[in-house]
Amino acid sequence: ADSDSTGLQLNVANVAPTASISGASAVDEGSVYTLTVGAITDPGTDTRSGYTIAWGDGSTDTLSPAQWAAAAGSFTHTYADGTSEPTITVSTTDEDGTTVLGTHAVDVLNVAPTVDATGAASATVGVAYTLSLANYVDPGQDTLLPNGIVVDWGDGSQSTASSLGDLTHTYLAASTPTLTVSLADEDGSYLNVASLGLAVGLPTPTLSRAAQAAGTVNEGSAFTRSIAFSDGEDSNGDGWN
């Protein structure tokens, strides 16, 4: 019997490995972000020689197989500044080349700066009051703008400053104002990041007699002594003289 044989060429195509990529959809600037990468699925028997995580902000982590295994699928990164919308890309390399395992989009949120505002709980009409500003903190890489500090003294007046330190203000009437501090940087303005309640009172009235030598006077004659009155607030405004 006759027999025929025919050769058949078969091309086996490589199948790229894949993995699930997950994490929070948003993170505050300056805060730690955690990315979770699931187990890698690869139908072939390829040996992976390395991994990379491009965080989408210009920084990339390169990991050896040992480092990848030690991380157990959990990887962290701190985004220095927002607002931004980076896309994280996770890749691996084996003998067939480099493959993207997956991507994940993140919103990096801007965070308002803070400042400490301190001062006495009370003030006196006509006497300068001092407010101290310290400990400016911005989780991002933002810069305070010139005159980016605005102090509202609670009596209709405001002061601006470009740096921390002491600011003074003189109240003209008794009141109970609330001082507020607002800030501005290249990302925007932030109202009332600090506040301070204050009681503004009238000065204490005084009565004094000028020192004068002792003397005598005949009955029926005028006797003169100088006495000074002050309500501590003004001169003659209340009818004293």
Side-chain angles (χ1 to χ4, degrees):
D2 296 331
S3 64
D4 292 327
S5 62
T6 301
L8 179 64
Q9 183 176 355
L10 181 64
N11 291 325
V12 179
N14 178 58
V15 177
T18 60
S20 63
I21 312 296
S22 62
S25 61
V27 63
D28 289 340
E29 62 181 0
S31 297
V32 175
Y33 181 81
T34 300
L35 181 72
T36 300
V37 181
I40 297 175
T41 300
D42 190 342
T45 57
D46 303 307
T47 301
R48 282 171 287 280
S49 58
Y51 306 82
T52 61
I53 302 176
W55 294 100
D57 61 353
S59 60
T60 299
D61 291 344
T62 301
L63 300 98
S64 67
Q67 291 171 319
W68 183 269
S74 183
F75 306 90
T76 60
H77 180 69
T78 299
Y79 287 97
D81 197 32
T83 303
S84 63
E85 299 177 349
T87 296
I88 304 170
T89 303
V90 182
S91 304
T92 186
T93 300
D94 59 27
E95 56 265 39
D96 292 324
T98 298
T99 303
V100 174
L101 294 173
T103 61
H104 184 69
V106 181
D107 287 335
V108 181
L109 307 176
N110 181 55
V111 178
T114 60
V115 68
D116 290 340
T118 58
S122 61
T124 301
V125 171
V127 179
Y129 176 82
T130 299
L131 179 70
S132 297
L133 301 178
N135 301 324
Y136 173 85
V137 176
D138 191 327
Q141 295 180 331
D142 306 305
T143 302
L144 191 65
L145 295 180
N147 291 319
I149 300 173
V150 179
V151 177
D152 188 320
W153 296 101
D155 63 350
S157 60
Q158 293 184 337
S159 298
T160 61
S162 299
S163 59
L164 302 179
D166 292 344
L167 289 84
T168 60
H169 179 67
T170 301
Y171 289 94
L172 302 180
S175 59
T176 54
T178 297
L179 289 68
T180 59
V181 182
S182 301
L183 302 172
D185 60 25
E186 63 267 33
D187 287 336
S189 298
Y190 313 93
L191 300 178
N192 304 339
V193 299
S195 62
L196 182 67
L198 184 63
V200 181
L202 295 173
T204 302
T206 60
L207 171 64
S208 62
R209 177 177 62 83
Q212 300 171 66
T216 59
V217 65
N218 295 325
E219 60 181 351
S221 298
F223 177 78
T224 302
R225 280 291 185 264
S226 296
I227 300 176
F229 298 89
S230 173
D231 62 2
E233 182 182 4
D234 51 31
S235 58
N236 301 324
D238 296 305
W240 293 3
N241 52 51

